[in-house]
Amino acid sequence: MKKKIMATLLAGAMVFSLAACGNKQVEAPANDASAPATETVTTETKAEPAAGSVELTVCTTFAGEDGNAKNFKEAVAAWCAETGNTVADTSATSDESFKTRVITDFETGSEADVLFFFNGADANSFIEAGKVVSIDEIRGEFPEYATNMNDDLIADSLVDGKKYAVPVNGFWEAMFVNTEVLEAAGVAMPGTNYTMEDFKADCEKIKAAGYAPIAAALGNIPHYWWEYAIFNNNSPATHLTIPTTDNAESWVNGMEDIKELYELGYFPDNTLSATDDETFAMFTEGKAAFLIDGSWKVGGIVNACQSDPEDPSTLDNAKLDKFDVTYIPGKGDRKATDLIGGLSMGYYITRAAWEDDAKRAAAVSFVEHMTSDEVVPLFAQHTASALKNAPQVDESAFNSLQVKSMSMMSNVTSLTGAVQDLFMGDCRVSTFDGMPEIVTGAVAAEDAVLAGLEAYYAQ
């Protein structure tokens, strides 16, 4: 059976509210390493590279354990074979040192010709310095550049509102489900209209059956519950607005909602002392029912279903079939199908390459190839893309959890960026690190929220 890659079903029907994802737990959402190898399709690029062989320096995050590292190498090889050009690949795993290196390269004039990088606040310095070229400027000479993308889904720069980075794949955050636990507790698989009241009723049944309803380490990684609890007291239109200290009711109510779930006994008994790895193991081992996490967690669940996590051929498909993914229970103005997600990275062409007559067309050609309708789905798989028209894909090439993820995403009504990515640093300490004190009542939710907001506005 075939169907379109899920995120393109959203194109034109929603506008992503994007935030910088610089400090997310997983900063560059990656597809799982267990995804089957897919043949890279070479396509005719719209830009004709200059005569002779041109070497482009390209820097991306498709390196190390990133599940798309292999896809990147194959796509680069295809472009080189097609054009006769070569690529000096300086890609590295995404982390704070990678970001620092990229910024330093721009400051010292040693930046790459083409850069795959974040499109939020992390890019401000080199955009302000005029070191990268906007999509509109490129289209002035190459009119078809990135026209296969839905412009509404390409992030605007926080500096000047222009679009610079052509996206490839993004991320979503949703609720993974151990259906074996649900069956044991007599609970139906949640659907598109799932509410917090429905969720609490289900959690009560799961708890009564002897299982932990929610796999979460509130003393270690409360991030996802923090985000959605606040989202449930806002809406897609207001979620990315950080409140003032005089108008923080939605954030306080969100913390109170988590406290209520804790008091009802829906988190593991050791949720305040356990690590995220430990509660994830509870979920994969059939001791907990629900897990909120990101699209990158598909790979972690798949690996947990392999007898050898490093060998995809050892996947126990019957075990994997017991896992599913669905929507976060909704409340108020937020529907269950309104998810946190977006397209946080993309390809930039640097000013240095653009003003180099020998490299300009080659750089455009490279980005067009890497962001083509044929190549993007290899990277996006079960995550998100901005393509207007993705090609059909054979679902038999994907594992069951990837297919379920595609199906889940086909009903999403909006994707909104993570407000925690705007609320970074010390301002998160009082509610992130302080979550155990909030849920146990040692610190009032209002006091914790106000402390964080005061730190934010003092920056």
Side-chain angles (χ1 to χ4, degrees):
M1 182 174 73
K2 295 186 177 183
K3 73 192 300 182
K4 286 185 180 293
I5 288 288
M6 73 332 183
T8 62
L9 296 174
L10 305 175
M14 70 177 79
V15 176
F16 288 14
S17 299
L18 297 176
C21 289
N23 281 3
K24 289 193 70 64
Q25 189 71 16
V26 179
E27 296 182 12
N31 297 308
D32 53 271
S34 64
T38 312
E39 181 181 357
T40 300
V41 181
T42 59
T43 58
E44 182 178 353
T45 54
K46 301 179 183 69
E48 291 295 333
S53 178
V54 175
E55 182 179 75
L56 292 180
T57 302
V58 177
C59 182
T60 77
T61 57
F62 300 125
E65 296 182 357
D66 189 305
N68 271 321
K70 181 174 182 289
N71 288 331
F72 177 72
K73 290 183 190 303
E74 291 177 348
V76 168
W79 180 79
C80 292
E82 178 185 331
T83 64
N85 297 318
T86 57
V87 167
D89 183 8
T90 63
S91 298
T93 300
S94 176
D95 56 19
E96 291 304 316
S97 64
F98 168 78
K99 294 179 190 176
T100 301
R101 189 194 100 193
V102 168
I103 300 303
T104 301
D105 285 347
F106 275 108
E107 291 173 346
T108 59
S110 55
E111 66 269 23
D113 299 312
V114 176
L115 173 67
F116 185 80
F117 195 71
F118 301 96
N119 52 33
D122 293 301
N124 285 358
S125 62
F126 58 74
I127 291 177
E128 288 172 346
K131 294 294 185 74
V132 289
V133 188
S134 73
I135 291 173
D136 281 344
E137 183 176 350
I138 295 170
R139 285 174 177 167
E141 185 168 338
F142 300 92
E144 294 188 29
Y145 183 73
T147 55
N148 62 324
M149 298 282 170
N150 183 335
D151 277 2
D152 287 340
L153 304 185
I154 299 177
D156 295 335
S157 163
L158 299 176
V159 172
D160 55 15
K162 297 180 181 179
K163 300 178 188 296
Y164 289 86
V166 185
V168 177
N169 62 309
F171 75 101
W172 46 258
E173 295 174 9
M175 188 163 72
F176 294 96
V177 180
N178 187 315
T179 60
E180 193 171 35
V181 175
L182 294 196
E183 290 171 5
V187 172
M189 180 68 188
T192 57
N193 297 315
Y194 204 45
T195 68
M196 278 303 298
E197 292 307 310
D198 296 331
F199 179 69
K200 286 187 281 188
D202 286 344
C203 286
E204 198 62 40
K205 293 178 183 177
I206 293 165
K207 177 185 173 184
Y211 300 91
I214 304 168
L218 292 180
N220 179 214
I221 305 293
H223 306 42
Y224 304 106
W225 277 98
W226 184 97
E227 188 75 42
Y228 270 101
I230 290 173
F231 198 10
N232 264 344
N233 287 278
N234 282 304
S235 70
T238 62
H239 182 58
L240 292 178
T241 300
I242 295 175
T244 65
T245 54
D246 296 326
N247 187 33
E249 184 179 1
S250 62
W251 284 37
V252 173
N253 288 343
M255 299 305 100
E256 291 285 0
D257 286 349
I258 299 174
K259 182 173 183 285
E260 179 189 12
L261 296 176
Y262 173 81
E263 291 173 340
L264 289 169
Y266 297 157
F267 292 100
D269 291 340
N270 64 342
T271 187
L272 302 184
S273 59
T275 65
D276 186 63
D277 286 344
E278 289 171 336
T279 55
F280 176 62
M282 289 183 64
F283 174 75
T284 58
E285 292 170 5
K287 299 175 183 177
F290 300 121
L291 170 75
I292 295 181
D293 215 306
S295 47
W296 48 86
K297 207 65 170 182
V298 170
I301 295 172
V302 170
N303 288 345
C305 295
Q306 295 173 186
S307 57
D308 180 353
E310 303 300 322
D311 184 358
S313 69
T314 65
L315 176 64
D316 183 340
N317 285 292
K319 182 177 180 181
L320 183 63
D321 289 345
K322 296 174 182 177
F323 294 96
D324 208 331
V325 62
T326 190
Y327 313 96
I328 312 294
K331 174 185 173 184
D333 292 335
R334 183 200 152 252
K335 299 186 290 291
T337 49
D338 295 326
L339 297 186
I340 298 296
L343 300 162
S344 57
M345 300 184 74
Y347 280 100
Y348 295 83
I349 292 179
T350 62
R351 178 66 60 183
W354 181 251
E355 294 182 350
D356 186 325
D357 291 339
K359 290 184 175 181
R360 179 184 299 185
V364 171
S365 168
F366 179 82
V367 175
E368 286 181 332
H369 176 80
M370 300 302 290
T371 60
S372 67
D373 288 358
E374 292 75 21
V375 173
V376 167
L378 305 181
F379 287 74
Q381 296 183 19
H382 59 276
T383 59
S385 83
L387 292 179
K388 292 176 181 176
N389 298 295
Q392 299 287 329
V393 295
D394 186 352
E395 285 188 354
S396 66
F398 299 95
N399 64 54
S400 61
L401 189 54
Q402 289 174 317
V403 173
K404 290 170 182 174
S405 298
M406 294 177 192
S407 177
M408 182 273 294
M409 284 299 291
S410 69
N411 290 312
V412 167
T413 48
S414 71
L415 287 174
T416 300
V419 72
Q420 64 186 264
D421 291 335
L422 302 177
F423 193 68
M424 298 185 291
D426 291 343
C427 52
R428 300 196 304 200
V429 171
S430 63
T431 46
F432 273 36
D433 297 354
M435 188 61 73
E437 286 72 32
I438 294 172
V439 298
T440 59
V443 173
E446 182 177 11
D447 291 342
V449 168
L450 291 181
L453 291 173
E454 287 169 358
Y456 175 79
Y457 285 108
Q459 293 180 139

